Amino acid sequence: MQNQDVYDKVLAAFAAKFGGKPEKVAYAPGRIEVLGNHTDYNEGYVFSAAIDKGTFFAVSAAADDTVTLVALDMNETYTCKLADVKKVETGATWANYPLGTFNWLFDGEPAKAGKGFKAVFGGNIPLGAGLSSSAALEMATVLALAALYGIEKDKTTLAKIGQKAEHTFAGCPCGLLDQASSLYGKEGSLVKSDFRYCQFENVDLGPTVAFMMVKSNAKHALVDGAYASRRQACEDAAKYFAGVLKHPVTHLRDVSCAEWILYRGGLSETTAKRAIHPIGEDERVVNGAALLEKGDLAAFGSLMFDSHESSRNWFENSCEELDTIVDAAKAIPEVLGARLSGGGFGGSCCLLVKPEAADKIAAAITAAYKTAYGDEPTCALIKPSAGAHLV
Ligand code: GLA
């Protein structure tokens, strides 16, 4: 089994804390975002992949109405009664991800569960790296709890339960990308998502390329307002375009680059800059899909570089550290493409690479980063992997 060592640790901790074996265990992976940045909540397109690192959630029913959550990696426990399930404001705020997921699995009425549960979770996704450790926790939670309580829901509904937990318990107004990628991932494949119709398709990548994630040491926090302000600017821009364009516009998905050029004058300079990023990203994903079909990985990679430029110049969700990584990557012939991955403002870059040159690439990027900042980024080859499942 993938990540057997983590599974063993979680089960050992469960036995130590509660005695015996859990009734249900679920696994959910993190994700990388390959192309299409901040397009999900604009009802656009994304290429992503589930990664080979993830979170296990092991759970059994409680005898009464107590909810107990053990965060193995932090060595912390959170307990409450069913009637008291609500957002944790201070202290064990990590509990908001599983707690919020549980809350929305029961449509906001957790008391309806009847009995509580006792759970241990743990994983190996580095935190704050932009690899969606939080969505992995939500998806492992929702799969395990749905199985425990005998609730059947389709994958997209499960993804939306996790997203609602992010919005209401964790305080990040995210789209659906992270949860969907964790659920719909497939070994060796990308996930191509269309967030207007919630359609998810696996696209084979072939054996000649791989992804390398380079984690900067720059802070990545999406709950501190920068993510929300970008989303707001996109919504403001969509409203404006709905007023000036003749065809229906509900989201930036409905606006083309040509229309942006023609009508951007009516927007404030900042809102116009924000809007062109998801608009351009949608076009890049559509073009990228055609390039992948033709097997033109070099041209696909160059769209990734374009995507990063758009983040850097228009959306301003990059940072010096991520720019340094992408600039260094551009100078390496065995790197086909590179861009920031996920929310931005720190976190990781996603590189499309020739896997046989992985060591050389990691050494060159580490050297460039070290020269600029004195410390070293973390470089890891990522294998697109299976999506979340019950173990
Ligand atoms: C974060 C969010 C996602 C998505 C990306 C940017 O990962 O959680 O919903 O918006 O940023 O594409």
Side-chain angles (χ1 to χ4, degrees), residues 31 33 36-41 174-178 222 227 342-343:
R31 64 99 189 90
E33 181 196 281
N37 184 245
H38 286 259
T39 50
D40 58 352
Y41 56 80
C174 64
L176 198 60
L177 169 68
D178 307 344
L222 302 185
Y227 183 94

Side-chain angles (χ1 to χ4, degrees), residues 2-356:
Q2 202 161 44
N3 298 308
Q4 177 84 44
D5 53 328
V6 184
Y7 174 78
D8 292 343
K9 261 176 52 187
V10 169
L11 259 71
F14 189 94
K17 177 85 184 171
F18 303 118
K21 283 196 172 151
E23 287 171 55
K24 303 288 175 194
V25 183
Y27 169 78
R31 64 99 189 90
I32 57 173
E33 181 196 281
V34 175
L35 193 61
N37 184 245
H38 286 259
T39 50
D40 58 352
Y41 56 80
N42 290 301
E43 294 200 348
Y45 307 98
V46 188
F47 274 117
S48 63
I51 64 173
D52 44 6
K53 291 186 165 50
T55 299
F56 288 93
F57 190 94
V59 65
S60 285
D64 58 13
D65 61 344
T66 309
V67 170
T68 309
L69 287 161
V70 178
L72 183 58
D73 304 318
M74 277 172 293
N75 199 19
E76 282 186 33
T77 301
Y78 180 84
T79 309
C80 69
K81 295 287 180 195
L82 280 183
D84 299 326
V85 168
K86 60 175 189 322
K87 180 177 177 183
V88 180
E89 298 286 351
T90 53
T93 49
W94 54 264
N96 282 320
Y97 300 99
L99 223 47
T101 302
F102 172 58
N103 182 68
W104 294 115
L105 180 64
F106 283 94
D107 302 317
E109 296 181 66
K112 278 194 181 158
K115 284 215 165 107
F117 63 86
K118 42 192 184 179
V120 174
F121 68 87
N124 58 1
I125 307 172
L127 302 181
L131 296 173
S132 288
S133 53
S134 61
L137 173 54
E138 291 147 17
M139 294 303 97
T141 304
V142 83
L143 282 181
L145 291 181
L148 184 75
Y149 289 101
I151 298 171
E152 277 183 33
K153 291 192 191 286
D154 63 87
K155 282 188 187 180
T156 300
T157 305
L158 295 179
K160 286 181 176 169
I161 288 172
Q163 182 193 29
K164 225 166 161 186
E166 289 274 355
H167 288 195
T168 55
F169 277 61
C172 178
C174 64
L176 198 60
L177 169 68
D178 307 344
Q179 294 79 7
S181 307
S182 181
L183 287 180
Y184 287 99
K186 186 176 163 222
E187 197 175 337
S189 291
L190 296 178
V191 181
K192 183 177 176 244
S193 305
D194 175 339
F195 286 101
R196 167 151 293 169
Y197 301 107
C198 284
Q199 282 170 349
F200 306 99
E201 176 191 340
N202 291 115
V203 179
D204 195 22
L205 197 61
T208 58
V209 287
F211 293 106
M212 182 182 282
M213 289 305 281
V214 182
K215 180 181 172 296
S216 72
N217 298 316
K219 174 176 156 279
H220 163 95
L222 302 185
V223 289
D224 66 2
Y227 183 94
S229 78
R230 296 303 186 279
R231 183 169 181 160
Q232 187 61 53
C234 291
E235 283 165 9
D236 293 347
K239 262 191 213 129
Y240 162 75
F241 282 111
V244 296
L245 294 177
K246 288 208 169 66
H247 60 80
V249 174
T250 61
H251 293 79
L252 287 180
R253 148 83 168 248
D254 302 310
V255 181
S256 69
C257 288
E259 288 165 341
W260 177 83
I261 291 169
L262 274 175
Y263 293 101
R264 64 171 291 188
L267 287 167
S268 78
E269 192 176 334
T270 303
T271 308
K273 280 170 77 175
R274 301 299 180 250
I276 190 57
H277 180 60
I279 295 172
E281 286 290 274
D282 273 343
E283 293 198 359
R284 280 184 279 279
V285 176
V286 171
N287 294 338
L291 291 168
L292 283 186
E293 239 167 64
K294 283 198 292 187
D296 192 344
L297 292 162
F300 184 87
S302 83
L303 291 176
M304 293 173 69
F305 284 125
D306 293 347
S307 166
H308 189 82
E309 284 314 299
S310 176
S311 272
R312 187 191 327 228
N313 299 322
W314 299 116
F315 214 59
E316 296 179 283
N317 62 331
S318 186
C319 62
E320 264 184 49
E321 289 88 339
L322 296 177
D323 294 345
T324 300
I325 293 166
V326 171
D327 291 344
K330 225 176 231 174
I332 307 169
E334 292 87 354
V335 177
L336 284 76
R339 63 191 282 280
L340 69 81
S341 180
F345 316 105
S348 297
C349 288
C350 174
L351 279 51
L352 183 67
V353 303
K354 302 218 165 127
E356 62 278 8

